[in-house]
Amino acid sequence: MKTWKVKKTYSRGYALGPARIIEKKEIRTVYDKITGDNITAEIKRFDEAVEEGCRELMELSGKSEIFAAHAALASDIALREGVENKIKDKLMCAEEALLETSGEFVFIFESMEDEYMRERAADMKDVCERLLTILSGENENPFEGIEEKSIIIARELTPSDTAKMNLKLVAGFVMELGGATSHVSIMAKNLGIPCLTGAEGVLKGVKDKDFIIMDAGAGEIFAEPSKDLIEEYEEKAGKWREEEKRLRESAGLPSLTKDGIRFELCANAGNPEEVRGAAEYEIDGIGLFRSEFLYMGSDHFPTEEEQFFAYKEAACLLKDKELTIRTLDIGGDKELKYWQLPKEENPFLGYRAIRICLKEPDIFKPQLRAILRAGAFGNVRIMYPMITSVEEIREANKILEQCKKELEEEGIPYKKDIQTGIMIETPAAVMIAEELAKEADFFSIGTNDLTQYFLAADRGNEKVAEIYNSYHPSVLRAIAATIRAAHKQGIKAGMCGEFASDEKAAVLLLGMGLDEFSMSAGEISRVKSRLRETDYKEAKETADNILSKGSVTEVINCLI
Ligand code: PEP
Ligand code: MG
């Protein structure tokens, strides 16, 4: 038996079955030169291939949003220009000019630090492959001939590849390349197919039709396993499939409790690609867009234009669903390579988030302007992090008003009535929640920080991990008080900290009256299914009872 272990996994579940090795035909890289007489015809051939490619992609866009993005890449002006110049100046044929120009794009994307941008390289390769196939007139399907449910093993799979396969015959995916946000990972997650990426060396060790077991949660792959191991995993896989079936059954159903109370489910995201992945789930919107990832993934402060582009893309993907963009939350454990913050004794208690933004209008204003402008394209809201006082909201809103005035004078469209909410993640904010609720349009409770500040236990320190517990009565009472204060002032209270995705906590939070639950997209169906099975009145009684308890142990014993 051969085994492999993948370091990082983004998937769950088990698959057992024969391996199908997918080897794609190498793209031909040696081409004949053209003559000066053929230039116009060659450019025309390229334009026609793009037209045909876009037509195919728009047809596929019903299957996944990614294909609409591919159509935009295929018809990109810079790509067209690069190809045209190479045909004209270097007398390259359309194929060679395309291969070289797209190679330049891929090189730029791959050399970027940001994982999201790096994975755009895969999109560019996919678009290039599609156009080359059209130009060559060949149309081979590497998945032809698969007749039984198999585990697909490949170096890398593009969205166009996955569009060609019969997914009913796919038990699992194992790929040597790719990461959490690669298209196959997202698609597999949505379809409940176990998927492992980064499985280096698998292609060398596995032969077509070898029997494979994959444990996606543990990141393990076994080739040619023993009978006993097969039996053990068949049992695990059976249980997992039953649980998945139960979750999927509730996926298309309304977000209502057993007694008909509506709850909102949103996703957390860090970039437009994650928004795209989340948009494929049934969500009410994005409850937390962590804008700092745009900053951390760049080698300079993202300009207003760069941010506008990213926020607008996210807003358009969501159509009329809400997109809550949290303003820059750096400091603490989040650093920027290109902007050295002063060394601090206690960075989590220091210069971070809104504190930086209020002191640095040159950083804050381009972001606010970009968000306001993106607001003209969708249902965008602003959220300020790490608020501890009424003055901070007023100050931030004052800067926001200045930005609106500037945009008005410049004649640039923006969202005039944009909502501004705040994160409740400090004890100070909890204690003055009623006053804050008069200044804010909504609350979102950040239990990741709230827990560390309430319990004086660093969220990233293993040594105090046992103390850091959001079920601590102090944290639960803080959450309940925040929700009460919000409702008293007629605004909604959501939660975007990890606690919202804990199924048992979600029942408790529902009972406390939480309006919106925001979490990683992959957790939503689990929480939804649990809340749909819950009776609101019962959850409320349990919450009231739990809020009277004085220790974590007592709280845990009362959970339903
Ligand atoms: C939180 O603190 O709960 C939160 C959602 O923000 P972050 O984890 O990004 O600090
Ligand atoms: Mg936080």
Side-chain angles (χ1 to χ4, degrees):
M1 178 174 81
K2 289 184 194 147
T3 60
W4 287 265
K5 175 114 178 116
V6 173
K7 275 194 221 101
K8 217 164 168 185
T9 73
Y10 310 97
S11 176
R12 295 178 212 223
Y14 307 88
L16 294 90
R20 278 314 301 257
I21 313 278
I22 302 298
E23 275 165 325
K24 288 191 282 170
K25 236 168 82 184
E26 283 292 307
I27 294 176
R28 202 156 64 88
T29 51
V30 182
Y31 297 99
D32 295 331
K33 293 276 174 234
I34 58 162
T35 63
D37 295 346
N38 296 339
I39 290 174
T40 317
E42 211 53 24
I43 295 173
K44 187 161 171 268
R45 216 159 66 79
F46 174 75
D47 286 341
E48 283 169 359
V50 170
E51 206 175 298
E52 169 68 13
C54 287
R55 203 186 45 71
E56 286 177 8
L57 287 162
M58 288 325 287
E59 263 172 36
L60 287 171
S61 64
K63 281 196 179 177
S64 163
E65 302 259 6
I66 189 87
F67 295 111
H70 279 196
L73 259 183
S75 52
D76 188 274
I77 299 170
L79 180 73
R80 167 70 166 68
E81 256 176 32
V83 170
E84 184 180 347
N85 290 343
K86 287 180 185 72
I87 294 175
K88 279 186 183 157
D89 305 340
K90 298 188 180 172
L91 295 180
M92 285 178 174
C93 65
E95 287 89 339
E96 191 179 5
L98 168 63
L99 208 54
E100 205 171 296
T101 313
S102 66
E104 291 161 7
F105 273 63
V106 167
F107 178 77
I108 296 170
F109 286 139
E110 279 179 347
S111 50
M112 291 182 176
E113 291 248 344
D114 181 18
E115 191 187 345
Y116 164 68
M117 289 314 288
R118 274 205 311 276
E119 290 193 355
R120 299 295 56 74
D123 291 334
M124 188 70 240
K125 283 187 201 160
D126 192 1
V127 168
C128 174
E129 232 175 83
R130 176 177 295 277
L131 296 180
L132 283 175
T133 309
I134 296 171
L135 283 164
S136 70
E138 292 170 11
N139 199 0
E140 196 192 297
N141 181 354
F143 302 97
E144 245 162 37
I146 299 183
E147 272 154 16
E148 59 179 321
K149 209 158 182 162
S150 308
I151 295 177
I152 303 294
I153 304 193
R155 178 100 184 116
E156 185 175 29
L157 288 175
T158 64
S160 302
D161 294 331
T162 56
K164 282 184 205 153
M165 36 173 120
N166 178 357
L167 291 163
K168 290 205 180 82
L169 294 179
V170 178
F173 289 107
V174 177
M175 286 178 297
E176 291 201 324
L177 300 181
T181 58
S182 57
H183 173 76
V184 184
S185 299
I186 295 171
M187 184 200 67
K189 203 176 227 178
N190 291 345
L191 297 171
I193 299 175
C195 173
L196 285 174
T197 53
E200 267 304 326
V202 168
L203 280 171
K204 272 205 199 106
V206 177
K207 293 190 301 304
D208 210 39
K209 310 245 168 76
D210 274 358
F211 194 86
I212 300 286
I213 298 177
M214 63 182 284
D215 178 343
E220 286 173 336
I221 302 156
F222 308 95
E224 297 298 311
S226 66
K227 250 177 118 191
D228 285 353
L229 201 67
I230 295 179
E231 267 173 30
E232 182 190 326
Y233 274 90
E234 261 167 358
E235 199 186 325
K236 285 187 184 176
K239 283 195 188 136
W240 172 73
R241 272 195 296 270
E242 261 172 42
E243 166 76 353
E244 279 298 295
K245 189 165 165 267
R246 193 178 64 82
L247 294 179
R248 294 214 166 252
E249 274 166 5
S250 68
L253 302 171
S255 299
L256 294 174
T257 61
K258 239 162 67 183
D259 46 350
I261 302 293
R262 166 128 169 87
F263 50 89
E264 284 176 38
L265 289 171
C266 293
N268 293 348
N271 57 45
E273 180 65 7
E274 277 182 30
V275 174
R276 180 179 295 131
E280 295 190 8
Y281 288 76
E282 265 176 83
I283 52 168
D284 291 299
I286 296 290
L288 167 65
F289 185 95
R290 288 186 162 98
S291 71
E292 57 276 10
F293 285 100
L294 290 179
Y295 292 71
M296 295 187 325
S298 174
D299 56 6
H300 59 274
F301 273 108
T303 61
E304 178 182 323
E305 281 315 302
E306 285 169 332
Q307 293 190 60
F308 168 59
F309 190 75
Y311 303 149
K312 178 181 153 196
E313 189 182 349
C316 292
L317 280 165
L318 290 165
K319 303 194 175 86
D320 53 354
K321 291 180 182 166
E322 83 192 13
L323 167 65
T324 310
I325 303 178
R326 179 173 74 185
T327 58
L328 182 60
D329 185 13
I330 46 160
D333 58 349
K334 296 177 197 151
E335 292 173 359
L336 300 180
K337 287 184 295 281
Y338 47 91
W339 198 62
Q340 217 66 48
L341 283 163
K343 271 266 157 286
E344 293 177 308
E345 287 286 323
N346 286 308
F348 274 112
L349 302 181
Y351 196 46
R352 64 171 290 202
I354 196 73
R355 301 171 181 183
I356 296 181
C357 289
L358 294 179
K359 286 264 165 18
E360 307 276 353
D362 289 349
I363 296 175
F364 200 27
K365 282 178 74 178
Q367 174 165 51
L368 292 177
R369 284 175 55 106
I371 301 175
L372 282 165
R373 288 172 58 194
F377 296 86
N379 186 1
V380 177
R381 318 193 289 178
I382 295 179
M383 179 156 75
Y384 303 129
M386 278 293 292
I387 291 293
T388 54
S389 70
V390 169
E391 288 80 2
E392 282 167 342
I393 310 180
R394 290 189 188 145
E395 187 61 24
N397 280 340
K398 209 162 113 193
I399 301 174
L400 183 69
E401 287 309 313
Q402 283 168 16
C403 293
K404 286 187 188 172
K405 192 162 166 271
E406 283 170 20
L407 290 170
E408 191 72 49
E409 283 164 9
E410 292 161 32
I412 299 174
Y414 68 95
K415 189 173 172 78
K416 295 193 168 73
D417 57 349
I418 199 157
Q419 284 200 10
T420 52
I422 60 167
M423 298 269 310
I424 300 286
E425 49 186 346
T426 63
V430 174
M431 300 307 288
I432 56 164
E434 268 191 43
E435 286 77 3
L436 295 176
K438 290 180 190 149
E439 309 281 331
D441 294 318
F442 61 92
F443 281 171
S444 184
I445 306 171
T447 45
N448 307 343
D449 276 317
L450 190 67
T451 305
Q452 80 164 342
Y453 292 132
F454 255 92
L455 302 178
D458 185 337
R459 62 195 259 188
N461 185 341
E462 281 299 307
K463 290 221 169 67
V464 292
E466 266 181 55
I467 300 173
Y468 182 97
N469 189 336
S470 302
Y471 282 109
H472 192 287
S474 64
V475 180
L476 297 182
R477 289 177 201 178
I479 295 170
T482 303
I483 298 170
R484 266 198 312 275
H487 290 174
K488 194 164 167 202
Q489 293 304 325
I491 65 167
K492 282 190 181 176
M495 180 177 289
C496 57
E498 291 304 306
F499 201 45
S501 65
D502 173 326
E503 286 171 53
K504 288 193 170 166
V507 174
L508 177 58
L509 295 165
L510 178 86
M512 290 182 188
L514 192 77
D515 302 293
E516 178 188 292
F517 300 72
S518 193
M519 64 200 76
S520 313
E523 306 292 339
I524 291 177
S525 49
R526 220 161 274 280
V527 171
K528 179 173 180 179
S529 158
R530 184 65 193 261
L531 292 181
R532 279 184 48 83
E533 287 163 5
T534 305
D535 186 281
Y536 172 70
K537 274 193 232 79
E538 204 184 311
K540 192 171 175 326
E541 275 165 28
T542 311
D544 290 343
N545 179 31
I546 284 180
L547 286 168
S548 70
K549 304 293 172 205
S551 76
V552 173
T553 318
E554 284 175 89
V555 167
I556 303 283
N557 286 341
C558 297
L559 289 172
I560 49 172

